[in-house]
Amino acid sequence: KKDAGVSKLKVVQGNVNAFLYEIYVSFIPLAEDRGITYTFEVKGNETELWFDRLEMEKVAINLLSNAFKFTPDKGEIKVVLGKEEQEGNWYFSIKDSGAGIASKSLPYIFDRFYQAKGNGQIHSDGGSGIGLFLSKQIVEAHKGMIMAESMLGEGATFYVSLPMGNSHFQAEELAEEDTLLANEIRQTILPIHESLEVDKGKKEPSEKATLLVVDDNDDIRSYLKYQLSEAFSIEEARNGEEAWELAKNIVPDLILADISMPKMTGIELCQLVKTNVITSHIPVVLLTARSSIAYQVDGFQEGADAYITKPFNIGLLEVRIRNLILS
């Protein structure tokens, strides 16, 4: 699509710090599972930037995926963002404690199909050599810059810098509003309602449907509550045992549960919910790291209604929840 010239930017103004934090949070379970020290640091104030969310999401996810791929268990990954002191551009960097990149390979890592050989190389695991090339194309389409610094055995740092304002974009690249992408996603699947009306006897029809969000990570629970509370009434639980007691008492409209939790896993919770006459009708959506295919099989065997892999798009998650409740 890039070569054919059919992939055009659609930039909108938005809080780029919040945008990047959303992507950062989606990798937290993977970091916890592997014992990686994973941090997020903002230097300066909130920043409004003009950028194409869908395209820049590809860049951020690719760089974070590479960092996790080449960082050993118990390693460290640090995300930093802010404004450059001299140039005044907005930037973010991702630094890892992985194997690093050999100096002879560093000049070529953004070349299309480049696959370095040997330990510590960016594509030594048989990658396609497309990710970093595409990331560079996207950043440069934003009139920005992407670069890497590394020494073999000492990790790598990837740095993305983007100019402020929108004067560097063509008129056809400017989207009309901040919510353009989210609205397009939702309207192609289900019309938007300010609140989902579900009649369940005790509830008034105008009340919001109730979601039970289950995750042992406080940050992820807070993030999901923040993103979904406008459309749904949110109840929280820190593990499967807590969630099971709540589910029997409040009978939520849907349960959104992480897989890996202490005391009782999401799969064990799903099994209890689906085999109890009081709760068996409740849809269960399981969340986990995208590489856990075996967990997905186990979850579906226990009656899970949907499986959402991390990192996920919050707009698509909301649409999936709405459709499950309505059906």
Side-chain angles (χ1 to χ4, degrees):
K1 290 174 70 176
K2 285 288 181 186
D3 289 345
V6 297
S7 182
K8 301 293 185 182
L9 293 182
K10 285 296 179 184
V11 301
V12 294
Q13 186 179 27
N15 187 327
V16 68
N17 293 3
F19 164 79
L20 197 62
Y21 184 71
E22 175 182 337
I23 297 171
Y24 162 84
V25 166
S26 66
F27 282 86
I28 287 178
L30 183 58
E32 291 180 338
D33 186 55
R34 295 179 51 199
I36 292 174
T37 302
Y38 183 43
T39 57
F40 185 89
E41 179 182 353
V42 177
K43 296 183 177 180
N45 300 322
E46 296 293 317
T47 301
E48 292 291 313
L49 192 75
W50 287 83
F51 63 105
D52 185 314
R53 280 160 170 68
L54 190 60
E55 295 298 302
M56 288 307 301
E57 183 180 74
K58 295 173 187 175
V59 175
I61 288 179
N62 179 64
L63 295 180
L64 276 171
S65 296
N66 277 342
F68 276 93
K69 186 186 299 183
F70 297 105
T71 299
D73 292 354
K74 312 298 183 183
E76 182 177 357
I77 297 174
K78 184 175 184 179
V79 181
V80 179
L81 53 152
K83 285 186 180 178
E84 297 172 342
E85 293 183 4
Q86 295 183 342
E87 300 296 330
N89 294 340
W90 178 85
Y91 77 91
F92 76 91
S93 64
I94 298 175
K95 178 178 176 60
D96 66 64
S97 62
I101 306 167
S103 56
K104 65 179 181 180
S105 297
L106 202 55
Y108 308 108
I109 60 174
F110 294 105
D111 292 352
R112 182 160 54 173
F113 306 133
Y114 181 74
Q115 295 172 286
K117 305 299 181 182
N119 293 333
Q121 305 307 320
I122 206 71
H123 290 302
S124 61
D125 68 334
S128 65
I130 286 292
L132 289 177
F133 168 78
L134 181 60
S135 294
K136 184 180 180 183
Q137 299 297 305
I138 292 170
V139 171
E140 291 182 346
H142 284 78
K143 305 300 186 288
M145 177 198 70
I146 183 171
M147 60 175 289
E149 297 177 349
S150 180
M151 291 184 64
L152 199 58
E154 297 185 12
T157 301
F158 283 82
Y159 183 91
V160 174
S161 172
L162 298 174
M164 305 293 291
N166 64 7
S167 60
H168 49 285
F169 293 111
Q170 298 177 15
E172 60 268 23
E173 293 176 323
L174 302 178
E176 293 182 359
E177 56 178 305
D178 184 59
T179 56
L180 176 66
L181 176 61
N183 285 344
E184 284 180 350
I185 291 172
R186 293 180 182 133
Q187 289 172 356
T188 57
I189 303 173
L190 182 73
I192 300 175
H193 305 285
E194 289 190 6
S195 62
L196 183 62
E197 297 182 358
V198 178
D199 188 357
K200 282 185 56 189
K202 291 193 224 174
K203 287 189 177 180
E204 293 296 326
S206 60
E207 288 187 11
K208 297 177 181 178
T210 299
L211 302 189
L212 176 54
V213 176
V214 193
D215 200 300
D216 59 317
N217 185 285
D218 295 339
D219 287 338
I220 293 178
R221 284 202 321 278
S222 297
Y223 168 72
L224 289 170
K225 183 175 182 179
Y226 173 77
Q227 293 288 348
L228 299 172
S229 59
E230 186 175 344
F232 306 101
S233 175
I234 307 296
E235 297 286 341
E236 299 179 60
R238 292 170 295 181
N239 56 61
E241 283 188 0
E242 240 180 63
W244 175 232
E245 295 304 317
L246 264 176
K248 290 185 291 184
N249 291 326
I250 66 173
V251 191
D253 295 287
L254 184 138
I255 296 173
L256 181 63
D258 188 34
I259 287 269
S260 302
M261 295 183 292
K263 296 186 179 180
M264 183 187 294
T265 68
I267 292 175
E268 291 169 336
L269 171 63
C270 181
Q271 195 271 338
L272 285 175
V273 168
K274 293 301 183 178
T275 56
N276 185 287
V277 67
I278 298 174
T279 59
S280 59
H281 67 284
I282 300 174
V284 177
V285 177
L286 296 175
L287 299 172
T288 197
R290 52 185 165 181
S291 60
S292 306
I293 301 300
Y295 286 151
Q296 295 185 38
V297 174
D298 291 342
F300 284 125
Q301 286 178 338
E302 295 299 341
D305 295 87
Y307 210 99
I308 306 295
T309 56
K310 301 173 183 176
F312 54 83
N313 179 285
I314 196 69
L316 292 177
L317 175 61
E318 183 177 337
V319 168
R320 195 69 181 273
I321 290 171
R322 289 177 179 274
N323 285 348
L324 282 170
I325 293 176
L326 286 177
S327 65

